[in-house]
Amino acid sequence: MTLPGDAAKSLNTWTDLSGFQALRQSAQSDAKSALPAVAKQFESIFTQMMLKSMREASPGDGLGDSDAGNAWRDMFDQQMSVNLSQQGNGLGIAQMLMRQLGGATSGSSTSASDATQGNDWQQRLHSVAGAAKGAGTQVLKWLPQDAQAFVQQLAPYAQKAAEKLGVSVRAVLAQAALETQWGKHMPSHSNGDTSNNLFGMKAGGSWDGEKVSVPTLEFEGGAAVHRRAQFRSYSNPGQSFDDYAQLIADNPRYAKALNHGEDVVGFAHGLVSGGYATDPSYAQKIIAIANSPAMKAALDGLKNIGSAPNPSE
């Protein structure tokens, strides 16, 4: 059986989830032929989730780690999991799944009794395809390739902050994306609740709101050191954007970051000159994200659906 183009593509690269729908359609029309493809897709997702859990169980960030580096590492893990599942028998998960669902694997035969025992495997296959789609969506939820979801949800708040600061929506969203790896990492409370802190705002002596204490990586004298710091916690993302905009607009330290319009370079260097971050590459990272294909595509998507202002205005 030849799978539809989208389904075939999904077996070779992790960046296109549209293949899940094609696989489900194939399973409905010819479930037995679609089983190997679904099983391999499921194995690749399971492998990636295993790699993700192993990463999270590691002692901590290395001295050379960064949000951008972590994003590329996650993308590498995703693609590696796909490659592993497609080579030979992979890790064996797909083979085991095919046997459980009644499909024949390479080098094996299917008896009449096996076929009898697999009377309901078509229904189970549809369930596996649905589960794979859900698991894949969860894994990829906040990676840079899902920048569009990040931008769509936060654009209204970013627009308000951008107008207050005299800068572009693109610049504000780029900084939030850098601080949180497109929403994937924010300071969290011990019970797992998010702080909604999208700009890494710390809780100094003048802050009387909710706080969260988490490990952080700071640069002191050009060297990265691990510290534990208290960060501000907000009830919703809008409060985070409002607090951030007020800080930048009212604090004389950040005067050089104001009123740059579409000049993201001037805005980013103004933040650094005011001491917003200790990372020596902070400005370059904001500029890179603002000019990235992911950001451009996300902003273009907003213009197409008419749900956010034109970032060039």
Side-chain angles (χ1 to χ4, degrees):
M1 169 184 153
T2 301
L3 293 175
D6 286 343
K9 181 180 179 182
S10 73
L11 296 179
N12 297 316
T13 177
W14 65 272
T15 57
D16 185 8
L17 287 179
S18 63
F20 283 119
Q21 184 60 34
L23 285 176
R24 296 186 72 179
Q25 292 174 353
S26 297
Q28 291 171 355
S29 61
D30 190 354
K32 194 166 186 176
S33 297
L35 177 56
V38 174
K40 286 187 176 183
Q41 192 76 326
F42 188 88
E43 178 174 319
S44 69
I45 292 171
F46 182 87
T47 303
Q48 197 280 332
M49 295 177 72
M50 180 178 65
L51 290 172
K52 183 175 184 292
S53 296
M54 293 170 64
R55 296 282 194 189
E56 292 177 346
S58 63
D61 295 335
L63 294 182
D65 283 358
S66 66
D67 287 341
N70 291 339
W72 284 110
R73 181 201 65 193
D74 289 344
M75 287 188 282
F76 172 79
D77 286 351
Q78 290 260 191
Q79 187 61 56
M80 181 169 64
S81 68
V82 172
N83 291 344
L84 287 173
S85 69
Q86 302 304 312
Q87 295 177 1
N89 291 331
L91 300 180
I93 298 173
Q95 299 287 316
M96 179 182 65
L97 188 60
M98 289 172 63
R99 287 194 295 270
Q100 289 293 322
L101 295 179
T105 60
S106 59
S108 66
S109 61
T110 304
S111 65
S113 60
D114 289 335
T116 301
Q117 293 174 357
N119 286 335
D120 65 337
W121 67 271
Q122 290 94 341
Q123 288 76 19
R124 286 183 284 166
L125 172 58
H126 297 161
S127 298
V128 170
K133 179 180 180 182
T137 301
Q138 180 64 28
V139 169
L140 299 179
K141 185 175 181 182
W142 282 115
L143 288 179
Q145 273 59 31
D146 201 20
Q148 189 165 5
F150 180 84
V151 169
Q152 285 180 356
Q153 293 182 28
L154 300 181
Y157 310 120
Q159 170 65 15
K160 182 179 177 182
E163 290 176 351
K164 185 178 182 67
L165 302 180
V167 299
S168 69
V169 174
R170 182 167 56 104
V172 174
L173 287 171
Q175 188 181 4
L178 171 61
E179 287 286 349
T180 65
Q181 197 177 317
W182 300 91
K184 187 179 178 182
H185 296 298
M186 283 184 279
S188 299
H189 295 274
S190 57
N191 64 358
D193 289 347
T194 179
S195 64
N196 288 305
N197 191 330
L198 287 144
F199 294 93
M201 300 272 285
K202 291 183 177 177
S206 60
W207 177 252
D208 57 1
E210 290 290 326
K211 305 174 184 178
V212 56
S213 178
V214 297
T216 183
L217 190 68
E218 304 287 351
F219 288 84
E220 299 178 1
V225 295
H226 289 276
R227 293 281 185 261
R228 192 169 189 88
Q230 289 190 323
F231 290 82
R232 303 182 184 190
S233 181
Y234 307 95
S235 299
N236 55 67
Q239 291 182 358
S240 178
F241 275 88
D242 289 344
D243 190 37
Y244 159 80
Q246 182 175 348
L247 171 70
I248 302 301
D250 296 347
N251 194 322
R253 289 170 49 188
Y254 303 114
K256 293 183 179 180
L258 303 177
N259 302 316
H260 282 283
E262 281 294 315
D263 179 14
V264 179
V265 174
F267 165 74
H269 285 290
L271 289 174
V272 172
S273 67
Y276 192 94
T278 58
D279 183 353
S281 301
Y282 194 78
Q284 287 73 19
K285 291 175 181 178
I286 291 178
I287 297 166
I289 293 174
N291 295 325
S292 67
M295 178 65 77
K296 182 180 186 302
L299 292 174
D300 287 344
L302 286 178
K303 290 185 288 185
N304 292 336
I305 64 177
S307 63
N310 187 332
S312 65
E313 293 179 351

